[in-house]
Amino acid sequence: MKVLATLARLYVDDMDRALPALRDLTGQDTRMRFPYGDVEVASIGGFLLLAGTEKALAPYRDVQSTVLVDDLDGLKKLLDTHGGEIVSGPNQVPTGRNATVRHPGGVIFEYVEHSA
């Protein structure tokens, strides 16, 4: 499993208000934007934004970063070698597949494999 990129997760209450400053900061436009359950998701530059109410965002807040990988199936080897547990997944998501993992020490990452 190879890491393709990491995205800092930002939790915001209003996507339309949050994106303009990030466009100026990164010099990039939004790569993707879509609804996911009760939240809205967008990526821009090295950021993944989740927008919604406090209640809607609560299930996602423990995840500290999103890691884009070339092959989600490689998680098994990583966890066999270093420990940790899959909290959720693998799941089908609008962009491909994801899994949420709690690593030793408590850090929680979302791993995403984009579909081709």
Side-chain angles (χ1 to χ4, degrees), residues 72-101:
L72 196 61
D73 295 328
L75 275 177
K76 181 179 177 355
K77 180 179 178 187
L78 180 71
L79 296 177
D80 287 348
T81 301
H82 298 284
E85 66 176 311
I86 294 178
V87 176
S88 174
N91 305 299
Q92 289 300 128
V93 294
T95 58
R97 299 188 309 151
N98 81 342
T100 303
V101 173

Side-chain angles (χ1 to χ4, degrees), residues 6-105:
T6 56
L7 301 173
R9 290 172 70 110
L10 305 176
Y11 301 96
V12 301
D13 56 6
D14 186 325
M15 188 71 74
D16 291 324
R17 290 186 60 217
L19 285 174
L22 291 171
R23 279 189 193 101
D24 285 350
L25 176 67
T26 64
Q28 297 180 22
D29 203 0
T30 306
R31 284 192 307 269
M32 63 179 175
R33 185 173 177 176
F34 57 89
Y36 186 71
D38 292 336
V39 300
E40 185 177 11
V41 179
S43 70
I44 184 169
F47 301 101
L48 181 72
L49 286 77
L50 289 88
T53 65
E54 284 300 318
K55 181 178 178 183
L57 291 172
Y60 304 98
R61 286 197 180 271
D62 287 341
V63 178
Q64 295 159 310
S65 185
T66 295
V67 180
L68 304 179
V69 295
D70 65 342
D71 181 10
L72 196 61
D73 295 328
L75 275 177
K76 181 179 177 355
K77 180 179 178 187
L78 180 71
L79 296 177
D80 287 348
T81 301
H82 298 284
E85 66 176 311
I86 294 178
V87 176
S88 174
N91 305 299
Q92 289 300 128
V93 294
T95 58
R97 299 188 309 151
N98 81 342
T100 303
V101 173
R102 178 179 292 109
H103 288 278

